[in-house]
Amino acid sequence: MKARWASGSLRLRITPTELESLIRGEAIQESLGLVGSWNIRIEPNGETRLVAHRERVTVKLSPKDIQQLAQPASEGVYFTSAEIPTVAYFIEKDFPCVHPRPPETRDPETETFAPPPGFKNRHRPR
C-alpha cells in the first residue's frame, strides 16, 4: 500500500494482492518506523469510516465499498468521515504511472491494476 497525505486528504493506493486480501476479509497495513512506528491500516469490516489514534490511522471499509472497489471499471472509493470531517480520504487502485519515474526515487517495481477504459486520457501529464 502506498500512502500520501496532505493537510486535508489521505490517499491510499493498493495493489491487486492487497485488494484480494480485503475481499477475503483480511486487514492490510503499512508502517513507517521513523520515530516510534507510524501505521496505516485498512480493515474490511463494519461501516466505512476513518479512525485516528496516536501513531495509527485505521480505515474501516464496508463490504459494499469493497465490492465497489473490486469492480474492474472502478478506480477507487472516496469518502469523508463524521469523526474527522476536515479530511477527505481515498482508497484507489494502483495503476501503472503514465509518466516515467526518475531513477533517483528508487521506487521499487510493484504489481499494478490494468487501467480501465479512458484512464490514460483522464490521467495524462499536463
Side-chain angles (χ1 to χ4, degrees):
M1 173 181 4
K2 296 176 185 174
R4 184 174 81 181
W5 78 84
S7 61
S9 66
L10 174 63
R11 172 177 280 156
L12 305 174
R13 290 207 174 136
I14 62 171
T15 66
T17 298
E18 290 167 329
L19 177 58
E20 289 300 319
S21 293
L22 293 171
I23 291 168
R24 287 191 308 268
E26 302 166 2
I28 59 174
Q29 74 176 19
E30 189 65 47
S31 298
L32 178 63
L34 291 175
V35 176
S37 184
W38 184 83
N39 286 283
I40 185 97
R41 182 175 173 90
I42 302 174
E43 295 180 355
N45 58 18
E47 180 182 334
T48 296
R49 61 191 181 105
L50 180 68
V51 180
H53 181 70
R54 297 189 182 206
E55 296 90 13
R56 174 173 278 176
V57 173
T58 302
V59 176
K60 307 271 188 177
L61 197 57
S62 73
K64 178 182 172 189
D65 290 324
I66 291 170
Q67 287 176 355
Q68 179 182 339
L69 191 58
Q71 297 301 311
S74 174
E75 291 184 31
V77 288
Y78 305 87
F79 313 100
T80 56
S81 177
E83 291 91 344
I84 308 170
T86 58
V87 176
Y89 58 104
F90 328 122
I91 300 172
E92 297 175 316
K93 293 175 179 174
D94 195 15
F95 296 107
C97 287
V98 293
H99 54 81
R101 297 180 190 172
E104 297 83 12
T105 64
R106 296 182 299 188
D107 281 341
E109 290 296 320
T110 59
E111 63 176 321
T112 57
F113 288 89
F119 178 83
K120 289 185 179 183
N121 289 336
R122 289 189 304 278
H123 297 281
R124 69 174 168 239
R126 293 185 171 119

